[in-house]
PDB file of all heavy atoms in Angstrom:
ATOM      1  N   GLN A 146     -95.783 -56.385  73.864  1.00 73.00           N
ATOM      2  CA  GLN A 146     -94.755 -55.481  74.359  1.00 73.00           C
ATOM      3  C   GLN A 146     -93.903 -54.784  73.292  1.00 73.00           C
ATOM      4  O   GLN A 146     -93.082 -53.953  73.626  1.00 73.00           O
ATOM      5  CB  GLN A 146     -93.848 -56.245  75.340  1.00 73.00           C
ATOM      6  CG  GLN A 146     -94.617 -56.900  76.467  1.00 73.00           C
ATOM      7  CD  GLN A 146     -94.494 -56.148  77.788  1.00 73.00           C
ATOM      8  OE1 GLN A 146     -93.555 -55.427  78.008  1.00 73.00           O
ATOM      9  NE2 GLN A 146     -95.466 -56.328  78.653  1.00 73.00           N
ATOM     10  N   THR A 161     -88.858 -53.398  78.254  1.00 95.00           N
ATOM     11  CA  THR A 161     -90.179 -52.890  77.862  1.00 95.00           C
ATOM     12  C   THR A 161     -90.973 -52.439  79.073  1.00 95.00           C
ATOM     13  O   THR A 161     -92.029 -51.838  78.938  1.00 95.00           O
ATOM     14  CB  THR A 161     -90.968 -53.969  77.108  1.00 95.00           C
ATOM     15  OG1 THR A 161     -91.118 -55.108  77.981  1.00 95.00           O
ATOM     16  CG2 THR A 161     -90.249 -54.395  75.845  1.00 95.00           C
ATOM     17  N   HIS A 162     -90.521 -52.788  80.252  1.00 95.00           N
ATOM     18  CA  HIS A 162     -91.148 -52.345  81.502  1.00 95.00           C
ATOM     19  C   HIS A 162     -90.103 -52.449  82.618  1.00 95.00           C
ATOM     20  O   HIS A 162     -89.078 -53.116  82.469  1.00 95.00           O
ATOM     21  CB  HIS A 162     -92.397 -53.169  81.847  1.00 95.00           C
ATOM     22  CG  HIS A 162     -92.203 -54.660  81.747  1.00 95.00           C
ATOM     23  ND1 HIS A 162     -93.241 -55.545  81.798  1.00 95.00           N
ATOM     24  CD2 HIS A 162     -91.082 -55.421  81.590  1.00 95.00           C
ATOM     25  CE1 HIS A 162     -92.774 -56.784  81.690  1.00 95.00           C
ATOM     26  NE2 HIS A 162     -91.481 -56.734  81.564  1.00 95.00           N
ATOM     27  N   THR A 163     -90.382 -51.783  83.758  1.00 97.00           N
ATOM     28  CA  THR A 163     -89.401 -51.881  84.847  1.00 97.00           C
ATOM     29  C   THR A 163     -89.699 -53.088  85.741  1.00 97.00           C
ATOM     30  O   THR A 163     -89.095 -53.228  86.803  1.00 97.00           O
ATOM     31  CB  THR A 163     -89.310 -50.576  85.674  1.00 97.00           C
ATOM     32  OG1 THR A 163     -90.609 -50.184  86.085  1.00 97.00           O
ATOM     33  CG2 THR A 163     -88.683 -49.469  84.863  1.00 97.00           C
ATOM     34  N   SER A 164     -90.592 -53.980  85.302  1.00 96.00           N
ATOM     35  CA  SER A 164     -90.776 -55.252  86.017  1.00 96.00           C
ATOM     36  C   SER A 164     -89.454 -56.027  86.060  1.00 96.00           C
ATOM     37  O   SER A 164     -89.217 -56.819  86.976  1.00 96.00           O
ATOM     38  CB  SER A 164     -91.832 -56.117  85.317  1.00 96.00           C
ATOM     39  OG  SER A 164     -93.036 -55.408  85.189  1.00 96.00           O
ATOM     40  N   GLN A 167     -87.795 -55.483  89.213  1.00 97.00           N
ATOM     41  CA  GLN A 167     -88.381 -56.245  90.319  1.00 97.00           C
ATOM     42  C   GLN A 167     -87.809 -57.658  90.363  1.00 97.00           C
ATOM     43  O   GLN A 167     -87.544 -58.199  91.435  1.00 97.00           O
ATOM     44  CB  GLN A 167     -89.904 -56.284  90.166  1.00 97.00           C
ATOM     45  CG  GLN A 167     -90.500 -54.890  90.044  1.00 97.00           C
ATOM     46  CD  GLN A 167     -92.008 -54.903  89.999  1.00 97.00           C
ATOM     47  OE1 GLN A 167     -92.617 -55.871  89.543  1.00 97.00           O
ATOM     48  NE2 GLN A 167     -92.605 -53.838  90.467  1.00 97.00           N
ATOM     49  N   ARG A 188     -90.634 -49.101  73.838  1.00 94.00           N
ATOM     50  CA  ARG A 188     -91.492 -49.993  73.047  1.00 94.00           C
ATOM     51  C   ARG A 188     -91.558 -49.505  71.609  1.00 94.00           C
ATOM     52  O   ARG A 188     -91.662 -48.298  71.362  1.00 94.00           O
ATOM     53  CB  ARG A 188     -92.907 -50.056  73.647  1.00 94.00           C
ATOM     54  CG  ARG A 188     -92.883 -50.805  74.964  1.00 94.00           C
ATOM     55  CD  ARG A 188     -94.251 -51.102  75.504  1.00 94.00           C
ATOM     56  NE  ARG A 188     -94.114 -51.430  76.929  1.00 94.00           N
ATOM     57  CZ  ARG A 188     -95.129 -51.664  77.735  1.00 94.00           C
ATOM     58  NH1 ARG A 188     -96.368 -51.620  77.273  1.00 94.00           N
ATOM     59  NH2 ARG A 188     -94.914 -51.955  78.998  1.00 94.00           N
ATOM     60  N   GLN A 202     -91.810 -45.401  83.621  1.00 97.00           N
ATOM     61  CA  GLN A 202     -92.748 -46.107  84.484  1.00 97.00           C
ATOM     62  C   GLN A 202     -92.277 -46.036  85.922  1.00 97.00           C
ATOM     63  O   GLN A 202     -91.099 -45.842  86.198  1.00 97.00           O
ATOM     64  CB  GLN A 202     -92.749 -47.607  84.135  1.00 97.00           C
ATOM     65  CG  GLN A 202     -93.538 -47.974  82.904  1.00 97.00           C
ATOM     66  CD  GLN A 202     -93.655 -49.487  82.788  1.00 97.00           C
ATOM     67  OE1 GLN A 202     -92.755 -50.217  83.188  1.00 97.00           O
ATOM     68  NE2 GLN A 202     -94.758 -49.948  82.238  1.00 97.00           N
ATOM     69  N   GLU A 204     -92.886 -48.933  88.837  1.00 97.00           N
ATOM     70  CA  GLU A 204     -93.552 -50.169  89.230  1.00 97.00           C
ATOM     71  C   GLU A 204     -93.298 -50.406  90.704  1.00 97.00           C
ATOM     72  O   GLU A 204     -92.264 -50.006  91.242  1.00 97.00           O
ATOM     73  CB  GLU A 204     -93.029 -51.336  88.391  1.00 97.00           C
ATOM     74  CG  GLU A 204     -93.372 -51.160  86.923  1.00 97.00           C
ATOM     75  CD  GLU A 204     -93.678 -52.457  86.203  1.00 97.00           C
ATOM     76  OE1 GLU A 204     -93.532 -53.531  86.822  1.00 97.00           O
ATOM     77  OE2 GLU A 204     -94.049 -52.392  85.033  1.00 97.00           O
ATOM     78  N   GLY A 205     -94.253 -51.041  91.368  1.00 97.00           N
ATOM     79  CA  GLY A 205     -94.118 -51.296  92.801  1.00 97.00           C
ATOM     80  C   GLY A 205     -94.223 -52.788  93.085  1.00 97.00           C
ATOM     81  O   GLY A 205     -94.881 -53.534  92.343  1.00 97.00           O
ATOM     82  N   PHE A 241    -102.296 -59.876  83.091  1.00 93.00           N
ATOM     83  CA  PHE A 241    -100.848 -59.739  82.932  1.00 93.00           C
ATOM     84  C   PHE A 241    -100.254 -61.116  83.221  1.00 93.00           C
ATOM     85  O   PHE A 241    -100.730 -61.814  84.128  1.00 93.00           O
ATOM     86  CB  PHE A 241    -100.255 -58.716  83.911  1.00 93.00           C
ATOM     87  CG  PHE A 241    -100.768 -57.319  83.716  1.00 93.00           C
ATOM     88  CD1 PHE A 241    -101.720 -56.796  84.580  1.00 93.00           C
ATOM     89  CD2 PHE A 241    -100.310 -56.527  82.668  1.00 93.00           C
ATOM     90  CE1 PHE A 241    -102.209 -55.499  84.400  1.00 93.00           C
ATOM     91  CE2 PHE A 241    -100.792 -55.233  82.488  1.00 93.00           C
ATOM     92  CZ  PHE A 241    -101.744 -54.720  83.357  1.00 93.00           C
ATOM     93  N   PHE A 243     -97.607 -61.950  84.669  1.00 96.00           N
ATOM     94  CA  PHE A 243     -96.866 -62.064  85.925  1.00 96.00           C
ATOM     95  C   PHE A 243     -97.718 -61.888  87.165  1.00 96.00           C
ATOM     96  O   PHE A 243     -97.227 -61.985  88.279  1.00 96.00           O
ATOM     97  CB  PHE A 243     -95.698 -61.071  85.940  1.00 96.00           C
ATOM     98  CG  PHE A 243     -95.936 -59.835  85.094  1.00 96.00           C
ATOM     99  CD1 PHE A 243     -96.559 -58.717  85.644  1.00 96.00           C
ATOM    100  CD2 PHE A 243     -95.558 -59.815  83.758  1.00 96.00           C
ATOM    101  CE1 PHE A 243     -96.788 -57.595  84.856  1.00 96.00           C
ATOM    102  CE2 PHE A 243     -95.791 -58.698  82.965  1.00 96.00           C
ATOM    103  CZ  PHE A 243     -96.413 -57.582  83.508  1.00 96.00           C
ATOM    104  N   THR A 244     -99.000 -61.565  87.003  1.00 97.00           N
ATOM    105  CA  THR A 244     -99.882 -61.429  88.176  1.00 97.00           C
ATOM    106  C   THR A 244    -101.151 -62.250  87.967  1.00 97.00           C
ATOM    107  O   THR A 244    -101.621 -62.427  86.847  1.00 97.00           O
ATOM    108  CB  THR A 244    -100.266 -59.949  88.402  1.00 97.00           C
ATOM    109  OG1 THR A 244    -100.670 -59.369  87.159  1.00 97.00           O
ATOM    110  CG2 THR A 244     -99.108 -59.163  88.990  1.00 97.00           C
ATOM    111  N   ALA A 248    -105.538 -56.753  87.580  1.00 97.00           N
ATOM    112  CA  ALA A 248    -106.583 -55.738  87.461  1.00 97.00           C
ATOM    113  C   ALA A 248    -106.036 -54.459  86.842  1.00 97.00           C
ATOM    114  O   ALA A 248    -104.826 -54.197  86.882  1.00 97.00           O
ATOM    115  CB  ALA A 248    -107.177 -55.429  88.833  1.00 97.00           C
ATOM    116  N   GLY A 275    -101.795 -50.695  86.010  1.00 96.00           N
ATOM    117  CA  GLY A 275    -102.070 -52.120  86.053  1.00 96.00           C
ATOM    118  C   GLY A 275    -101.557 -52.688  87.368  1.00 96.00           C
ATOM    119  O   GLY A 275    -100.618 -52.154  87.952  1.00 96.00           O
ATOM    120  N   CYS A 276    -102.186 -53.758  87.835  1.00 98.00           N
ATOM    121  CA  CYS A 276    -101.732 -54.329  89.113  1.00 98.00           C
ATOM    122  C   CYS A 276    -102.191 -55.780  89.240  1.00 98.00           C
ATOM    123  O   CYS A 276    -102.895 -56.306  88.373  1.00 98.00           O
ATOM    124  CB  CYS A 276    -102.279 -53.518  90.283  1.00 98.00           C
ATOM    125  SG  CYS A 276    -104.058 -53.665  90.478  1.00 98.00           S
ATOM    126  N   GLY A 277    -101.789 -56.424  90.311  1.00 98.00           N
ATOM    127  CA  GLY A 277    -102.246 -57.790  90.557  1.00 98.00           C
ATOM    128  C   GLY A 277    -101.432 -58.462  91.647  1.00 98.00           C
ATOM    129  O   GLY A 277    -100.470 -57.886  92.171  1.00 98.00           O
ATOM    130  N   ALA A 298     -98.077 -56.471  92.952  1.00 98.00           N
ATOM    131  CA  ALA A 298     -97.245 -55.587  92.129  1.00 98.00           C
ATOM    132  C   ALA A 298     -98.160 -54.636  91.379  1.00 98.00           C
ATOM    133  O   ALA A 298     -99.346 -54.928  91.165  1.00 98.00           O
ATOM    134  CB  ALA A 298     -96.412 -56.404  91.142  1.00 98.00           C
ATOM    135  N   PHE A 299     -97.618 -53.513  91.024  1.00 98.00           N
ATOM    136  CA  PHE A 299     -98.390 -52.549  90.221  1.00 98.00           C
ATOM    137  C   PHE A 299     -97.439 -51.752  89.356  1.00 98.00           C
ATOM    138  O   PHE A 299     -96.218 -51.707  89.633  1.00 98.00           O
ATOM    139  CB  PHE A 299     -99.213 -51.615  91.125  1.00 98.00           C
ATOM    140  CG  PHE A 299     -98.391 -50.923  92.174  1.00 98.00           C
ATOM    141  CD1 PHE A 299     -97.759 -49.712  91.903  1.00 98.00           C
ATOM    142  CD2 PHE A 299     -98.241 -51.493  93.447  1.00 98.00           C
ATOM    143  CE1 PHE A 299     -96.993 -49.086  92.874  1.00 98.00           C
ATOM    144  CE2 PHE A 299     -97.459 -50.855  94.417  1.00 98.00           C
ATOM    145  CZ  PHE A 299     -96.848 -49.654  94.133  1.00 98.00           C
ATOM    146  N   GLY A 300     -97.975 -51.161  88.291  1.00 97.00           N
ATOM    147  CA  GLY A 300     -97.118 -50.394  87.387  1.00 97.00           C
ATOM    148  C   GLY A 300     -97.899 -49.267  86.741  1.00 97.00           C
ATOM    149  O   GLY A 300     -99.064 -49.442  86.381  1.00 97.00           O
ATOM    150  N   MET A 301     -97.249 -48.108  86.639  1.00 96.00           N
ATOM    151  CA  MET A 301     -97.929 -46.956  86.035  1.00 96.00           C
ATOM    152  C   MET A 301     -96.969 -46.137  85.190  1.00 96.00           C
ATOM    153  O   MET A 301     -95.754 -46.203  85.360  1.00 96.00           O
ATOM    154  CB  MET A 301     -98.545 -46.089  87.125  1.00 96.00           C
ATOM    155  CG  MET A 301     -97.545 -45.557  88.142  1.00 96.00           C
ATOM    156  SD  MET A 301     -98.391 -44.959  89.602  1.00 96.00           S
ATOM    157  CE  MET A 301     -97.650 -45.979  90.870  1.00 96.00           C
TER     158      MET A 301
HETATM  159  N1  LIG B   1     -95.439 -54.345  83.689  1.00 69.85           N
HETATM  160  C1  LIG B   1     -96.751 -53.906  83.314  1.00 69.85           C
HETATM  161  C2  LIG B   1     -96.632 -53.048  82.082  1.00 69.85           C
HETATM  162  O1  LIG B   1     -95.576 -52.633  81.710  1.00 69.85           O
HETATM  163  C3  LIG B   1     -97.427 -53.125  84.387  1.00 69.85           C
HETATM  164  C4  LIG B   1     -97.750 -53.989  85.576  1.00 69.85           C
HETATM  165  C5  LIG B   1     -96.846 -54.074  86.604  1.00 69.85           C
HETATM  166  C6  LIG B   1     -98.911 -54.672  85.674  1.00 69.85           C
HETATM  167  C7  LIG B   1     -97.112 -54.860  87.691  1.00 69.85           C
HETATM  168  C8  LIG B   1     -99.215 -55.456  86.756  1.00 69.85           C
HETATM  169  C9  LIG B   1     -98.306 -55.559  87.770  1.00 69.85           C
HETATM  170  O2  LIG B   1     -97.623 -52.767  81.468  1.00 69.85           O
END
Side-chain angles (χ1 to χ4, degrees):
Q146 305 256 336
T161 60
H162 48 191
T163 52
S164 304
Q167 305 184 331
R188 290 189 198 176
Q202 282 189 328
E204 296 215 355
F241 297 103
F243 28 89
T244 47
C276 68
F299 54 88
M301 59 196 121

